[in-house]
Amino acid sequence: MIQSFVFSDGKLIGRDLELQALRLVGADKGLIVWVDLDNPTDEEIKAILEGVFQFHPLAIEDCVTPSSLPKVEDYENYLFIVTHAIDFTRSEKFASTELDLFLGKEFLVTFHRKPLKSVQSMIDRVTKSVGVIARGPDRLAHGLIDFLIDNYQPVLSELGEELEEIEEAVLAKDSGEEFIGEIIQVRGDFSRLRSIVRPQRDLIDRLARGDSKLIRPLLLPYFRDLRDNLARIEDSAASYHERLLMAFDIYLNKAAFESSRGIKFLTALTAVTLPAVLVGGWYGMNFVHMPELQSPHGYYWALGLTIVSTVLMSIYLKKKNWF
Amino acid sequence: MIQSFVFSDGKLIGRDLELQALRLVGADKGLIVWVDLDNPTDEEIKAILEGVFQFHPLAIEDCVTPSSLPKVEDYENYLFIVTHAIDFTRSEKFASTELDLFLGKEFLVTFHRKPLKSVQSMIDRVTKSVGVIARGPDRLAHGLIDFLIDNYQPVLSELGEELEEIEEAVLAKDSGEEFIGEIIQVRGDFSRLRSIVRPQRDLIDRLARGDSKLIRPLLLPYFRDLRDNLARIEDSAASYHERLLMAFDIYLNKAAFESSRGIKFLTALTAVTLPAVLVGGWYGMNFVHMPELQSPHGYYWALGLTIVSTVLMSIYLKKKNWF
Amino acid sequence: MIQSFVFSDGKLIGRDLELQALRLVGADKGLIVWVDLDNPTDEEIKAILEGVFQFHPLAIEDCVTPSSLPKVEDYENYLFIVTHAIDFTRSEKFASTELDLFLGKEFLVTFHRKPLKSVQSMIDRVTKSVGVIARGPDRLAHGLIDFLIDNYQPVLSELGEELEEIEEAVLAKDSGEEFIGEIIQVRGDFSRLRSIVRPQRDLIDRLARGDSKLIRPLLLPYFRDLRDNLARIEDSAASYHERLLMAFDIYLNKAAFESSRGIKFLTALTAVTLPAVLVGGWYGMNFVHMPELQSPHGYYWALGLTIVSTVLMSIYLKKKNWF
Amino acid sequence: MIQSFVFSDGKLIGRDLELQALRLVGADKGLIVWVDLDNPTDEEIKAILEGVFQFHPLAIEDCVTPSSLPKVEDYENYLFIVTHAIDFTRSEKFASTELDLFLGKEFLVTFHRKPLKSVQSMIDRVTKSVGVIARGPDRLAHGLIDFLIDNYQPVLSELGEELEEIEEAVLAKDSGEEFIGEIIQVRGDFSRLRSIVRPQRDLIDRLARGDSKLIRPLLLPYFRDLRDNLARIEDSAASYHERLLMAFDIYLNKAAFESSRGIKFLTALTAVTLPAVLVGGWYGMNFVHMPELQSPHGYYWALGLTIVSTVLMSIYLKKKNWF
Amino acid sequence: MIQSFVFSDGKLIGRDLELQALRLVGADKGLIVWVDLDNPTDEEIKAILEGVFQFHPLAIEDCVTPSSLPKVEDYENYLFIVTHAIDFTRSEKFASTELDLFLGKEFLVTFHRKPLKSVQSMIDRVTKSVGVIARGPDRLAHGLIDFLIDNYQPVLSELGEELEEIEEAVLAKDSGEEFIGEIIQVRGDFSRLRSIVRPQRDLIDRLARGDSKLIRPLLLPYFRDLRDNLARIEDSAASYHERLLMAFDIYLNKAAFESSRGIKFLTALTAVTLPAVLVGGWYGMNFVHMPELQSPHGYYWALGLTIVSTVLMSIYLKKKNWF
Ligand SMILES: [Mg+2]
Ligand SMILES: [Mg+2]
Ligand SMILES: [Mg+2]
Ligand SMILES: [Mg+2]
Ligand SMILES: [Mg+2]
Ligand SMILES: [Mg+2]
Ligand SMILES: [Mg+2]
Ligand SMILES: [Mg+2]
Ligand SMILES: [Mg+2]
Ligand SMILES: [Mg+2]
Ligand SMILES: [Mg+2]
Ligand SMILES: [Mg+2]
Ligand SMILES: [Mg+2]
Ligand SMILES: [Mg+2]
Ligand SMILES: [Mg+2]
Ligand SMILES: [Mg+2]
Ligand SMILES: [Mg+2]
Ligand SMILES: [Mg+2]
Ligand SMILES: [Mg+2]
Ligand SMILES: [Mg+2]
Ligand SMILES: [Mg+2]
Ligand SMILES: [Mg+2]
Ligand SMILES: [Mg+2]
Ligand SMILES: [Mg+2]
Ligand SMILES: [Mg+2]
Ligand SMILES: [Mg+2]
Ligand SMILES: [Mg+2]
Ligand SMILES: [Mg+2]
Ligand SMILES: [Mg+2]
Ligand SMILES: [Mg+2]
Ligand SMILES: [Mg+2]
C-alpha cells in the first residue's frame, strides 16, 4: 500500500497523489512530500523507487532485501537510512521489522514490509494536527524515528521482567525445574536487542553530528535527543545482560550446591547409623566360643555401647556442621 | 520551592526575587544570578525555564524527566548539565538524585526533585560567607559539583565495608548461610555507582578541557581537580568490583569444597569400618560345616584379623591424606 | 591454466591471447585485459607476473606462497589484493582457497591454486553476457569479490546448523555421548571463518573509502555494499560464536548435573532402606539373652517399626526434594 | 624537615638556606635550587609552598593530601608531578609513599611524608659528587624518579617469589592447607602495583614526549629511558598477574579433583567387597530349609564364589581405571 | 668477538678492520661498514660503541643490559633497535637472545651475547655472494631481521605440536596422568612468544611506515613484508593460545566428569545389590517366632523375591541411563 502526503509551508495540502502528480511535486521547489510504502508490490517499488525518485540501484536492493544491520548511506542528493522497529510479546517473542528511509531535501520515502505502529502514529499526527507540522522532511524523519525508539521501551521492560523471573528461579532453593532453555532464549533476545540498538545509536550519532547538509542545524538537538534515548536503552540492556550472565553462572553452580547437600546428608546418615550397623554385624557372628554372647548382660552392654557411640558421633557431626 | 541569589562584583546583593525582577536582573550586564528550583511545581517550571530564561524545549524536557545518564549539552548561550548526587544508607540502600544545571555567562539555574545536601551546603556558603563569593556562575557551578562529588566518598566507604563483610563470610569455613542475595545486590550497587561515575567523569573532563567559552580559563584547574576526584572514586570502585567478582567465584566454589570434605569423610568412614563389617558379615553365615566357627580360638582370630586390618587401613588412609 | 579476456568500451573483444599479444594490449591505452592464472606452472607465473606485468618481487612472492592473511598492498601502479574463498562440506569440512588480484588502471590479474566457483561465475558472466560488461578492471574485481563473498553464506548456514545440533545435544537430558570433539572442531571452524572475514572486511573498507585512484568513485558504493555484506556475515558469526561458548559452558557443567542426580538417587536409596537394614542387622545378633527375640510378637513389632520408619523417612525425603 | 641545595653552573654552592635567602635565590637568574620537604610542619608548608614559591592552591592541596593516583599537571611556570615510591617487606607487606615534585625552570621542590630511599640517594649524589651535578632542575627530577623506579624492582621480585610459592602449593597433590587468603592478598598487591605503575608510565611518557618547555630536549632520552623501565615492570607484573589468575583457577578446581579421587576410592572399595558382603549376608539367613547351608561343601562353594567374584570385579575395575 | 665488513658500491671490499681503520672508513662518504659484536669484552664495547661510533650513553646501556622488550629509538643520526631471536628445543625449552642494531646512514652495528643463526646466515650471504649485496646498511638490517623472523616459524611449529599432544591427552577418556604442569609451561611459552612478537611487529611497522630517513623508500615494501610475516606468526600464536585455554578448561572439568562416572557406577552397584542385601539382612534376624523362616518354601520365596526385585531394579536403572 502506498500513501503520500504533500506539505507546503509546513502544512498538509494534499494526500495520496498519482504517480504523475508525485513527479510534478518532486520538481516543484517548495513543496515537500512524504511517500510511505507499506509492503508494496514489485510494480509499486519499481514505479516509486526507480521511476519517480531514481534512487541508486544498490540503495533499492538494500531497501527491498531484509537486513539485520542498521546503517546510513550518503548518496549526495539523499540519505538512505536502515532502521529497525521492535515488537515483543511473550507468546510470539522478539521480532524486528525493518524501516528504510530515503531522506532528501524535499522528500521522504519510507519503506516497510509490515504495518508499523510508529508510521501509523506519524500519519495520525500529520493528518490530525492543524497548523505547522513539518517544514522539512528531516522533521518528519525525526518524528518517525522518535516514535520508533519510544517503542523500544516496552520491549526492554518485558525482557527485564523475564530476567527477574529467572533470577528468582535461580535463587530459589527448591527450584529443580529446567529453565536453562529460557535463559538461553532471553540471552539471545538481549543480544539481538543490543545488536540492533548499538548500530542504531552510531547511526543517529552520525546524523546528530551535522555532517549531512540534508539535516538542518535547527534539528540537530532533536537528533541528539534520539541518541540520548538510545544510549539510555543500551545502558539498561547492558546492565540487564550482566545480571543475566550472573544468573547463568549461579544456575550452572546449582548442581554443585545440590550435590553438596546430598553428600552431607548421605555422610551424616552413614555416620550416625554406623555404631548400630557395626555392633549388629559383629554380634551376628556364629562363633561357638564368643564370650560376650553368653554373658547375661551382653546385650545390654552392646545396646549401651551403640547408644553412647551414636550420641558421640551425632555431637561430632553437629560440631563439624555435617547437618 | 524557588530560591534566587543575585551577585554583583562577586558579592551577594539580593535574594529570592520576583519573576519580574529576575527578568530585569537577567537583562542587566554585570549582575549574576543563581536560581535554584527545588522540586518546583509545573507552573514554576514553566515560568522560570520557559518564561524567564527561554531554554530550548529539549533541554527543559531532559531537565524535568528523570534520567540515569549524566551529560553536558552545549546550547550556544548556555550549557545544560545533568549530574547525579548519590545517597546510600544500609537500610534504604542506594539512591541517586538528578541535579540539572543551566550554566550561562551571567546566570546559573539548578533543578532537582529532592532536597540535596550539596545544594544546601552551597546556599550556606553563599549566604554565610562575607566578601567575594563568586565572580561568575562557573564558580558557583564548580562549587555545587564539588560538594556533590564529595558526597560520593561515604557511599564508596559504605560499599567497601559491605564488600569486606562478604569477603569474610566467603572465606569463613563454617559459613553455610545463603548470602548470595547480598552479593548480587552489592554487585548491582557497584555497577550503578560506576555507571554514574564514568559518564560524570567524561562530562567534567570535557568541561575541564576548556572547550566552552562559558567556563573561564581561570577555573579550568578547578574542574581538572573535580575530574581527578572522580578518577580516584572510579579507581576505587573498579578495584572493589574486581574483589567482589573474586569473592563471587570463591562463593560459587564453596559447594565443591564442602562436597570434597564430605566425600573424604564418607570414604574414610567406609574404609575404616570395612574390616569389621566384612568379618562380621562373613562369620554370621549359618553353614553347618564352617570349621572357623567351631574352632575354640576362632573368635579371637577373627577379632585380631579385624583389628589388624583396621589399623593397616587407617595407616594407609592417613598416608593418602584421607583424613 | 591461463585465460585472458580483452575488453574495449566495456565489451569483450578477444580471449586467451598469446604472451606477445598480451604485452601489446598492455601498451595500448583504452584496451582492458583480465588474465586469470588457475594453478599456473612456474614458467607461466614467471612469464606473466614477472615478464608481461613486471610486478614487484615481494608481491609475486606473496602471491605464489599460501597465506592465511587477507591484505591489500598499494604498489603505485597497481593494488595487490589477497582474499580468501571458502568452501565447507560436512565431510571435507572447512577449506579456504587464496585468490590474489593485481588491479591496475587497465588490467586485472587473478591468481589461484584451485578452481574457484566465483572465478568461474565471473568468466560465465563475461563470456555469456552481451553488451557492456565492464568499463574498468575495478568493475571486474568488484564482481569477482562479490561472487566470492556470496559463497560465504552457505558456509555460515552449514556452521549454524552444526551449532544447532550441538545445542540440542547439550540440552538433551539423556545425552551421554561424547561430542566434545565436535564442539572443539566447530569452534575452530568459527574462529577460522572470523579470522578470514575480519581482515577481509577491513580490506574492503579501505578500498571503499576511495583512497586508491585505481578504483573509480562511481564504484565506491559497490565496494561499500561488499563491506556491508561482510559486516553482516561477521555479525552472524560473532553471535553464533557466543552461542557456541554458552553451549560449551553448559556441556562442561553437564557432569556436575549428572553427579547431582546420581547423589540424590544414592542418598534416597540409602535413606529409605536404612530402617530395614538397621532392624535386620540388630535382630540378627546372637546374644543368648535378648528379650525381644524371645517375645512372641517381637517380629511383628520389628516389622511395624521398620515400616513406620521407612514411611516417615520417605515423607521427609519427599519434602526435602530428594526424589 | 626542610633541606635545600643551591647550584650554580651545575655545581653545589650552598645548602639549607633561610627563607629569606631562598627568596633571593629564586629571584636570581642562573642559580638553581632544590628544596626537599620531608614530612614538614604546616607552618613550613605554608612558608615554602605558599610563601616562597606561591604555587596554585589546588596544587598545594593535591600535594598535602594523600592520593593514590600519579599525575602531572601543567601550571605554566612549573609542572606539578605526583609519583609513588613503593616498599615491600614480607612482614609489613605492600606500602606506597607519595612523592610530589614542583618542577620549575630554576627550581625543584619535593614533598613527602616519610623518608624516602630515592631522595636520600639523590641527596648523597648531590653532596658527595664533585664537579658538574645538574645544570637544571629537570636533571634532578630525572635522577629522583630514576632512583624511585629502581626501587620498584625488588618489590616485583618479592611478589614473584610469593607467586612461585603459591604455584607450587597449588600444584602439590597433598596440599590441603587453606592458602586462599594468601592468593587474595597477593592478587591485591599485584593490582595495587599495576594501578601505580600504569599511570606512572603514562605520566613519564607525557614528560618524555617533550610537550613541556620545562624539560630540555637534551633530557628527553633520559625520560624515555624511565618510561622503558616502567614498561618493563608493567609487563612483568601483567605476566605474573596472568599466572596468578591461572593458579587461582587451578586452586578452585582442586576440590573437584580431590572429590574425584575420593569417589573413585569409595567406589572401588564398595565394588571389591561387594561379593563378600552379598554372600555373607545371604547365607546369614535363618531359613529352616536352606539346602546350601546343610550341604557339607556349602561353605567352600560360597568361599570359592566370593573369591572368584572378587577377583573378576578387581580385574574389571582395573580395566576401567577405577584404581 | 668482533667482525667487520666494508662495502663500496654494494660490494664487499674489506673485512675485520683495525679500530683505526674503522674510524677512517666511518669518515669516508661512500663506504658502508657493518660491525658485528658477538659477546664482546667490556673493552671492545667501550672501544667500538663509545670510541668509534660515539653512541648515546643510554643507547649503549640499553644495548649491553639484557631486556625483554623490543623497541626502536631514534637518535637523529642513527636508529637504535632492540630485537629478539628465539630458539626452542624440547629439552632446553624456550630461550630468547637479544639482538641490538645501531642503524646509521653508512654503518650498521650489531650486538648480541650469544652466537645467532640469523647473523651467521647474513655473514655467509655477505661473504659468499658475488656482485651487489647491499647498497645501504638498511638492506643489511632488513636481511638480518628477515633471517631472525624466519627462525620464529620452527618455534611456533614446535609449540603447535606440544599443544596437539595436550589436546589429545585432555580428550583421552582414560588419561589420568597429571599433565597440568605441562599445560602451565606451554601457556607460559605462548605468552612469552606473544610478548616478543607483538612489540616486534609494532617496531617493524614503525620502520615500514617510512618515518625515518635512515631507511630508503625503496626498502619500505621489504619492511612491510617483515611486518606481514610477524602478523601471521602473531595470528597463529593467538589461535593456538585460544585452543590452549579451551584445553585448560576441559582439563579442569575432567575431574567432574570422572566423579560423575564414579557416582553413577557406585549408585548402580548399590541399587542392584539392594534387594539381596535387604532380604539377606532381614531373614538373618533371630526372632523365635518368624513364620517365614519356618515355612518350607520360605527360602525359595525369598530367593524369588530377590531375583525379581533385582531384575526390576536393573530395568529401571537401564531406562534412567544409570549404566
Ligand atoms: Mg547491499
Ligand atoms: Mg533492507
Ligand atoms: Mg532481527
Ligand atoms: Mg513500531
Ligand atoms: Mg521523545
Ligand atoms: Mg531528551
Ligand atoms: Mg532530567
Ligand atoms: Mg539511578
Ligand atoms: Mg548531596
Ligand atoms: Mg572537593
Ligand atoms: Mg578539592
Ligand atoms: Mg566465571
Ligand atoms: Mg611476503
Ligand atoms: Mg599468497
Ligand atoms: Mg585456512
Ligand atoms: Mg568460490
Ligand atoms: Mg552480492
Ligand atoms: Mg549486491
Ligand atoms: Mg565455570
Ligand atoms: Mg585535588
Ligand atoms: Mg598528595
Ligand atoms: Mg597506596
Ligand atoms: Mg624509595
Ligand atoms: Mg636507570
Ligand atoms: Mg565446578
Ligand atoms: Mg635503559
Ligand atoms: Mg639490551
Ligand atoms: Mg626472554
Ligand atoms: Mg637465530
Ligand atoms: Mg622472507
Ligand atoms: Mg574460566
Side-chain angles (χ1 to χ4, degrees), chain B residues 67-69 84-86 94-97 192 195-196:
Chain B
S67 152
S68 58
L69 230 67
H84 288 82
I86 39 180
F94 199 94
S96 76
T97 312
R192 272 216 303 284
S195 80
I196 286 175

Side-chain angles (χ1 to χ4, degrees), chain E residues 124-175:
Chain E
D124 292 352
R125 183 192 286 177
V126 158
T127 53
K128 290 175 187 153
S129 302
V130 288
V132 169
I133 298 157
R135 288 191 189 277
D138 47 0
R139 196 71 166 115
L140 290 167
H142 168 267
L144 267 169
I145 301 176
D146 192 19
F147 279 128
L148 195 136
I149 292 171
D150 283 352
N151 287 331
Y152 284 16
Q153 195 53 59
V155 176
L156 201 67
S157 309
E158 195 85 29
L159 281 174
E161 273 166 47
E162 293 220 350
L163 171 60
E164 255 157 53
E165 281 172 28
I166 285 173
E167 277 181 339
E168 264 166 49
V170 158
L171 290 182
K173 215 176 196 152
D174 57 325
S175 138

Side-chain angles (χ1 to χ4, degrees), chain C residues 158-179:
Chain C
E158 196 84 30
L159 282 174
E161 271 166 48
E162 294 220 348
L163 171 61
E164 255 157 53
E165 282 171 28
I166 287 173
E167 277 182 341
E168 262 166 51
V170 157
L171 290 184
K173 212 174 198 155
D174 57 324
S175 137
E177 76 263 37
E178 300 280 331
F179 52 94

Side-chain angles (χ1 to χ4, degrees), chain A residues 18-90:
Chain A
E18 293 298 308
L19 278 187
Q20 201 53 37
L22 263 182
R23 229 170 260 127
L24 290 172
V25 162
D28 187 310
K29 287 234 162 172
L31 288 185
I32 285 166
V33 66
W34 169 28
V35 183
D36 179 60
L37 290 86
D38 181 349
N39 197 18
T41 63
D42 287 356
E43 292 74 40
E44 290 172 331
I45 292 171
K46 212 177 154 61
I48 302 287
L49 302 186
E50 289 185 27
V52 179
F53 292 100
Q54 296 179 303
F55 295 131
H56 194 287
L58 284 173
I60 295 176
E61 193 198 68
D62 275 353
C63 178
V64 298
T65 50
S67 153
S68 57
L69 229 69
K71 69 164 186 176
V72 57
E73 196 86 45
D74 194 338
Y75 288 95
E76 289 194 43
N77 298 320
Y78 53 93
L79 294 175
F80 171 62
I81 301 169
V82 180
T83 60
H84 288 83
I86 39 181
D87 262 313
F88 183 86
T89 49
R90 286 239 166 172

Side-chain angles (χ1 to χ4, degrees), chain A residues 85-87 116-118 148 151:
Chain A
I86 39 181
D87 262 313
L116 285 178
K117 264 192 273 179
S118 52
L148 195 134
N151 286 332

Side-chain angles (χ1 to χ4, degrees), chain E residues 64-85:
Chain E
V64 299
T65 50
S67 152
S68 58
L69 228 69
K71 69 165 187 173
V72 58
E73 196 85 42
D74 195 338
Y75 289 93
E76 290 195 44
N77 297 320
Y78 54 93
L79 293 174
F80 171 62
I81 302 168
V82 180
T83 61
H84 289 83

